Amino acid sequence: MKYFIVTYGCQMNVHDSEKIAAILESLDYQPAERREDADIIVFNTCAIREGAEDRVLGNIGNLKKMKKKNPDLIIAVCGCMTQKEQTANYLMNTFPFIDIVIGTFNLPKLGEYIKAVKTGRQLQLYPEGDIDESLPYKRTSGDNAWVNIMQGCNNFCTYCIVPYVRGREKSRKEESILSEIKDILAQGKYKKITLLGQNVNSYGGDLEPKVTFAQLLNDICAIDGDFTVSFMTSHPKDLTDDVIAAVAKQDKIEKYIHLPAQSGNDRILKLMNRKYTRQHYLEIIKKIRASIPNCRITSDFIVGFPTETEEEFNDTLSLVKEVRFDSIFAFMYSPRTGTVASNMEGQIPEKIKRQRVNKLLALEKLVQKEDNKR
Ligand code: SAH
Ligand code: SF4
Ligand code: F3S
């Protein structure tokens, strides 16, 4: 029997799909080259923006025909979309040919569900459960190995759905991370370790005794072997000097920091609940550039956040001009049901958001062109 996994969203989800693959292979499924050849298709979904959800819905809709041709085909949907009760219900009602809807917290139960579904039931499970770190992974990213160092997020940026679908921040024990990395390196085929967390800089604050992210980085670098380490994502409010110092000092750490700014305007940053100012952000950039020569710096921006005026958007443009990022991701604000910003007055029309995102991307292109020339 064969499986096919369709993954949407961030590296977190890519890594979760490696867990799903391991679960399926433990049930004697083999990878299929094409979804047409599969006996089970798993959609690992993302809820970060409406566009991400629409892609998922469109693709699930297309499976109806396949299911008609092959009634034994099992269709499972999991990931961040299905962790929302409302969306889970919607999926079950709109696409009755889906066999399993399972939230991020219940992923370990996927195997159990597949067995149950073979007796002919449609199953749905979303809210409770705990994330089981002991599940194995089937690593699929070449010589790069993803390593989760923490789950969830406590920041509640007002636009963001992640805290609702991934739960509260929970750091993994340092020993367990170090021993996973040692095991990975002992296999001899991995050269890169990428540490994953929504806000890696706040790693370890919830552990007893506390461990800092800088400490974790230094301890990882002390492991023998020929490998590099990188990490994502850093939050400007928590990126401390000791982390910058570790990146500067440790040869094993890649000279690369992804530091989402989201906006260059203080009023918007405040409304976003980002807990830093433009000035503070610029100071961090200054520090990075002073202590890590040639460090690559990239960022994320959201344009058209509720009530954002043209002048305030211009502050984002001027920040991009000032910092000269190596690259940026620019997103049009997408209201997510259940978040604070989705209920704010002064939502910005699509047309204006589109104009702003195009303007921002054009500026970034120009900056890159100039820098490449130099
Ligand atoms: N934890 C990371 C990244 C989270 S999601 C961080 O804090 O930076 C990745 C990016 O998606 C965010 O940086 C943000 O720019 C964008 N994003 C999140 N929610 C969004 C929304 N509702 N609309 C548009 N973009 C959004
Ligand atoms: Fe979302 Fe903010 Fe958490 Fe990032 S830090 S995952 S943007 S709430
Ligand atoms: Fe990632 Fe999307 Fe979930 S960005 S954490 S897969 S909502």
Side-chain angles (χ1 to χ4, degrees):
M1 288 187 306
K2 296 203 160 154
Y3 69 88
F4 194 85
I5 304 172
V6 190
T7 309
Y8 301 85
C10 64
Q11 286 78 7
M12 228 34 99
N13 256 20
V14 173
H15 193 33
D16 280 353
S17 287
E18 298 181 333
K19 206 183 267 183
I20 296 168
I23 294 175
L24 294 171
E25 295 197 3
S26 77
L27 297 174
D28 284 334
Y29 284 93
Q30 298 300 318
E33 295 276 324
R34 310 172 314 150
R35 70 181 76 180
E36 290 77 11
D37 303 330
D39 301 284
I40 178 164
I41 300 179
V42 182
F43 277 80
N44 191 11
T45 63
C46 169
I48 201 82
R49 282 168 293 274
E50 198 182 331
E53 293 199 340
D54 287 347
R55 267 196 299 284
V56 171
L57 295 175
N59 281 314
I60 293 178
N62 290 337
L63 292 182
K64 191 174 177 180
K65 269 195 227 127
M66 282 176 68
K67 183 87 176 188
K68 232 182 191 159
K69 250 199 238 156
N70 174 14
D72 290 334
L73 172 68
I74 297 177
I75 298 174
V77 188
C78 60
C80 293
M81 264 174 94
T82 51
Q83 185 61 35
K84 296 188 288 177
E85 187 171 340
Q86 215 185 348
T87 315
N89 288 333
Y90 173 80
L91 284 167
M92 279 305 207
N93 297 332
T94 318
F95 306 110
F97 54 86
I98 296 177
D99 299 287
I100 300 169
V101 172
I102 189 168
T104 49
F105 283 64
N106 285 303
L107 198 53
K109 296 216 174 81
L110 180 63
E112 206 177 290
Y113 265 45
I114 292 170
K115 286 183 204 153
V117 129
K118 290 186 170 165
T119 66
R121 276 180 299 152
Q122 190 194 38
L123 294 167
Q124 177 173 355
L125 186 63
Y126 39 87
E128 81 272 15
D130 206 0
I131 290 147
D132 184 353
E133 278 298 343
S134 64
L135 282 178
Y137 293 99
K138 189 205 169 199
R139 299 190 182 277
T140 54
S141 300
D143 66 355
N144 172 63
W146 309 108
V147 175
N148 269 337
I149 63 167
M150 61 205 296
Q151 302 286 350
C153 183
N154 287 351
N155 290 319
F156 287 93
C157 302
T158 53
Y159 50 80
C160 185
I161 195 71
V162 171
Y164 303 91
V165 293
R166 292 277 178 172
R168 291 298 70 69
E169 239 167 67
K170 199 166 160 216
S171 303
R172 273 177 74 191
K173 289 208 178 68
E174 193 189 22
E175 309 89 80
S176 121
I177 297 169
L178 294 174
S179 80
E180 183 183 347
I181 294 175
K182 284 178 196 156
D183 287 349
I184 290 168
L185 294 171
Q187 295 174 41
K189 52 182 177 179
Y190 300 103
K191 291 267 166 257
K192 281 171 69 178
I193 302 288
T194 307
L195 308 175
L196 295 179
Q198 292 299 346
N199 178 10
V200 288
N201 306 108
S202 70
Y203 169 79
D206 55 336
L207 292 175
E208 200 50 67
K210 284 195 168 74
V211 183
T212 64
F213 182 53
Q215 223 170 309
L216 175 68
L217 283 174
N218 288 323
D219 291 343
I220 292 171
C221 291
I223 299 174
D224 272 340
D226 176 21
F227 66 97
T228 61
V229 185
S230 60
F231 53 85
M232 62 179 63
T233 301
S234 295
H235 192 305
K237 83 176 164 64
D238 295 316
L239 182 59
T240 45
D241 293 354
D242 56 352
V243 170
I244 299 176
V247 178
K249 166 183 93 180
Q250 298 285 4
D251 292 337
K252 283 176 176 153
I253 303 182
E254 275 184 44
K255 308 307 167 204
Y256 166 54
I257 297 180
H258 180 60
L259 195 63
Q262 311 299 359
S263 167
N265 175 269
D266 284 345
R267 191 186 73 89
I268 295 295
L269 284 171
K270 193 156 191 182
L271 278 182
M272 287 176 164
N273 193 30
R274 290 291 288 180
K275 302 197 178 84
Y276 53 84
T277 59
R278 175 191 178 100
Q279 190 54 38
H280 179 66
Y281 186 87
L282 286 170
E283 274 158 22
I284 303 172
I285 298 287
K286 223 180 185 171
K287 274 189 204 160
I288 296 173
R289 294 240 159 99
S291 39
I292 318 168
N294 295 322
C295 185
R296 270 196 319 126
I297 303 176
T298 60
S299 196
D300 293 346
F301 289 92
I302 296 177
V303 304
F305 187 83
T307 73
E308 184 189 62
T309 64
E310 206 59 36
E311 290 76 48
E312 288 167 337
F313 166 65
N314 286 338
D315 288 341
T316 293
L317 293 178
S318 74
L319 184 79
V320 167
K321 251 192 218 156
E322 196 168 337
V323 176
R324 311 193 75 85
F325 294 100
D326 291 274
S327 76
I328 63 164
F329 293 96
F331 304 108
M332 298 194 285
Y333 167 70
S334 170
R336 310 281 63 216
T337 309
T339 61
V340 172
S342 70
N343 290 322
M344 286 178 182
E345 309 242 326
Q347 299 284 329
I348 305 292
E350 281 305 293
K351 199 176 135 198
I352 295 184
K353 287 190 219 173
R354 194 166 303 275
Q355 281 168 1
R356 288 183 189 167
V357 86
N358 288 338
K359 223 171 173 178
L360 179 55
L361 289 171
L363 171 66
E364 171 61 14
K365 224 172 162 179
L366 192 76
V367 168
Q368 280 183 15
K369 212 168 145 190
E370 288 171 3
D371 284 355
N372 288 343
K373 242 189 206 156
R374 192 175 316 134

